[in-house]
Amino acid sequence: MLKHLVFMKFKPETSDAQIAAIEEALGALPDAIPEIKEFVFGRDVVRSERSYDFGLVSSFDDLEAMGRYQVHPDHQAALVLIKAAVSGVVAVDFEY
Amino acid sequence: MLKHLVFMKFKPETSDAQIAAIEEALGALPDAIPEIKEFVFGRDVVRSERSYDFGLVSSFDDLEAMGRYQVHPDHQAALVLIKAAVSGVVAVDFEY
C-alpha cells in the first residue's frame, strides 16, 4: 500500500469560504475515485511554528493507483481550488 | 480523535544507519505508549521537489493524549535521534 500525505499552507488572504470549498471538493473524491482506499483531512489545531495549516492522509494500492487519482477530473477540479488558496504544499508518499 | 502528522527533511550527511535507528526507535513506541492508536511511518518514494524525506501518521484520542505521548521518555529518546538527523520538521495535527 501507498500512504499519500499532503500539507498545505494557506495564503494570508485565503478565506474560510475558500477552505470550506476545498474541504467540500475533497470530501466528494472518495465516492468518485475508486482508487482511494483512505481519505482523511483537516485544519491544523496546534498552530505551532512548525505547523502547516491543513493536512491530508490518503492511501492507495500503489503508485499507479495514485497516478490515476491524480489525473482524475474531480481531483483536477479540487486542485484548481487548492492552487488558488495555498502559498505552499509539501508531501510525503511512503509504502507500508 | 486527533491525527498527528510529521514530515522530516534529513540533513545531506544523514546516513542510512541513522535513518534505520530512527525507524527502529519509532517502531518500538506503540508497544511502550498506550496513547498511540495508530502509528505508520516511512521514507518518501516519489522524491518530487515538494517531497519531504520521511513521514509519520499517528492518531490519538485527543490533544491531551498526544501531550502524554510527546513527554514519554521513549518518545524523548527517539527525538534525540531525530534532531541529530533532520534539517527541518513540519507537522499538521487535525481532529477527525
Side-chain angles (χ1 to χ4, degrees):
Chain A
M1 295 284 287
L2 182 82
K3 195 75 84 171
H4 173 58
L5 312 176
V6 178
F7 288 0
M8 303 177 203
K9 196 161 276 192
F10 294 123
K11 295 174 187 169
E13 65 273 21
T14 294
S15 67
D16 252 355
Q18 282 180 278
I19 299 170
I22 289 168
E23 288 171 326
E24 193 179 340
L26 290 176
L29 295 185
D31 287 342
I33 308 175
E35 282 82 358
I36 295 173
K37 304 302 179 196
E38 174 193 20
F39 208 75
V40 185
F41 53 84
R43 305 183 200 196
D44 178 73
V45 295
V46 167
R47 315 313 294 138
S48 75
E49 58 185 5
R50 69 174 194 170
S51 299
Y52 267 55
D53 300 319
F54 193 90
L56 164 68
V57 178
S58 55
S59 298
F60 299 89
D61 285 338
D62 50 38
L63 276 169
E64 290 68 33
M66 185 174 77
R68 291 192 298 276
Y69 153 79
Q70 289 184 318
V71 300
H72 189 287
D74 291 10
H75 177 253
Q76 290 294 317
L79 282 184
V80 171
L81 300 176
I82 291 168
K83 281 178 183 157
V86 298
S87 59
V89 176
V90 290
V92 170
D93 300 88
F94 64 79
E95 287 158 349
Y96 68 103
Chain B
M1 294 286 288
L2 181 83
K3 196 75 84 171
H4 172 58
L5 312 177
V6 178
F7 288 1
M8 303 176 204
K9 195 160 278 192
F10 294 124
K11 296 174 187 168
E13 66 272 20
T14 294
S15 67
D16 253 353
Q18 282 180 278
I19 299 170
I22 288 168
E23 288 172 326
E24 192 180 341
L26 290 176
L29 294 185
D31 287 340
I33 307 175
E35 282 82 358
I36 295 173
K37 303 303 177 196
E38 173 193 19
F39 209 75
V40 185
F41 53 84
R43 306 183 199 195
D44 179 73
V45 294
V46 167
R47 316 311 297 139
S48 75
E49 58 183 9
R50 68 173 195 171
S51 298
Y52 267 55
D53 299 319
F54 193 91
L56 164 68
V57 179
S58 55
S59 297
F60 300 90
D61 286 338
D62 49 39
L63 276 169
E64 290 69 32
M66 185 175 76
R68 291 193 296 276
Y69 153 79
Q70 289 184 320
V71 299
H72 189 287
D74 291 11
H75 178 254
Q76 291 294 317
L79 282 184
V80 171
L81 299 176
I82 291 168
K83 282 179 182 157
V86 298
S87 59
V89 176
V90 290
V92 170
D93 300 89
F94 64 80
E95 287 158 348
Y96 67 103

